[in-house]
Amino acid sequence: MIPIFSSIKLVGFDLDNTLYENNSDIDDRIATEIARKILDFKPEIKNLGNARDLCDKLYLETGSRTQSLKEIGIENSGEIAHECMERADFLDLIKYDAKLIDLITKINNKYSTFLITSSSSNHAIARLKKLGLDEKLFDYRIFGESALPNKKIDGSIFAYFLKMSNHLPHEHLYIGDNLKGDILPAKSLGIKTIAIGNIPEADYSVEKIYDIRDLLL
């Protein structure tokens, strides 16, 4: 346990790209769905191959699927990007993770736990099961449809959760991989943060989810 997290009573998690790591195959399937949406919006591109080339080019420039859609003028780009991720069929690429199960179980034994994800409950629970995690390991669970129209990126889902909690904001910790969707909105409400990946704005950054063991246990 490091001092910055000594007051923590609740530990929360993002799901996608946090409890499991993205790989090139998952990215490829998501990018293909993004390309389909681009082709719908810009039929003059003519075919999916051209749309995928544009999709990959924009992602290299922006570093964000959402921003890529925004760059070509698609409204509600965040929601559209999430819908594309939901449509991408990559459940078969998520693997059982005994090390993760042990970690989350031990954290659940020491702290109250919560899950906040933009993914719908059907998709999220299926992904958790593939990892070997029972959704009941998380004392509180907020899925994409649970708190509509609340969103992660504007902090409203986190505010919604804080109203459910009996603890002060700084007694909560949220772990995620995305600066704008996880770290900044949580921090804006006083929640402590750990980033998966190097995000200087987080209170702490780790390379992989397993690295939080030494910080919290």
Side-chain angles (χ1 to χ4, degrees):
M1 169 67 69
I2 62 174
I4 192 173
F5 300 132
S6 60
S7 64
I8 296 301
K9 293 182 171 61
L10 294 94
V11 177
F13 299 87
D14 174 42
L15 171 57
D16 300 303
N17 307 330
T18 297
L19 293 181
Y20 67 88
E21 187 175 2
N22 251 20
N23 59 48
S24 58
D25 291 330
I26 292 175
D27 280 336
D28 181 69
R29 295 187 192 182
I30 294 171
T32 296
E33 291 300 325
I34 296 285
R36 293 186 200 280
K37 180 56 65 174
I38 290 174
L39 185 59
D40 288 344
F41 186 75
K42 286 186 168 291
E44 66 271 20
I45 294 175
K46 296 184 179 179
N47 60 62
L48 186 60
N50 291 340
R52 179 59 191 270
D53 289 343
L54 177 59
C55 174
D56 292 342
K57 177 179 179 290
L58 289 171
Y59 185 66
L60 283 174
E61 292 173 354
T62 66
S64 164
R65 299 296 183 194
T66 296
Q67 190 61 36
S68 297
L69 292 170
K70 188 178 292 186
E71 286 290 314
I72 63 172
I74 294 180
E75 296 182 3
N76 301 319
S77 55
E79 288 85 351
I80 296 298
H82 181 69
E83 288 172 10
C84 290
M85 184 174 178
E86 295 275 84
R87 285 199 302 270
D89 182 11
F90 56 82
L91 193 61
D92 60 304
L93 299 176
I94 297 176
K95 305 302 182 184
Y96 181 87
D97 193 337
K99 188 176 178 181
L100 177 67
I101 297 166
D102 179 70
L103 173 64
I104 301 300
T105 300
K106 287 178 177 174
I107 288 175
N108 179 259
N109 288 337
K110 183 174 180 179
Y111 305 90
S112 289
T113 53
F114 61 99
L115 178 76
I116 297 180
T117 175
S118 297
S119 292
S120 66
S121 56
N122 287 343
H123 286 87
I125 292 170
R127 291 168 195 164
L128 289 172
K129 286 181 177 178
K130 282 300 296 285
L131 289 166
L133 294 174
D134 187 330
E135 63 176 295
K136 294 180 181 177
L137 275 173
F138 304 96
D139 300 307
Y140 304 91
R141 301 172 293 278
I142 298 180
F143 301 108
E145 74 274 21
S146 301
L148 294 176
N150 298 310
K151 302 175 184 177
K152 291 179 76 176
I153 200 162
D154 66 6
S156 54
I157 277 184
F158 297 100
Y160 174 87
F161 175 69
L162 288 175
K163 291 179 181 179
M164 298 167 56
S165 171
N166 294 321
H167 296 282
L168 297 172
H170 73 272
E171 295 176 317
H172 299 73
L173 169 67
Y174 189 68
I175 301 161
D177 70 293
N178 188 280
L179 172 63
K180 292 183 178 180
D182 297 321
I183 303 305
L184 292 182
K187 284 197 70 173
S188 72
L189 295 171
I191 297 170
K192 300 293 186 185
T193 58
I194 294 176
I196 306 300
N198 184 25
I199 299 180
E201 292 85 350
D203 293 298
Y204 209 94
S205 291
V206 296
E207 183 178 354
K208 296 181 181 295
I209 187 68
Y210 317 110
D211 300 329
I212 67 173
R213 181 184 294 271
D214 292 338
L215 305 179
L216 301 176
L217 297 176

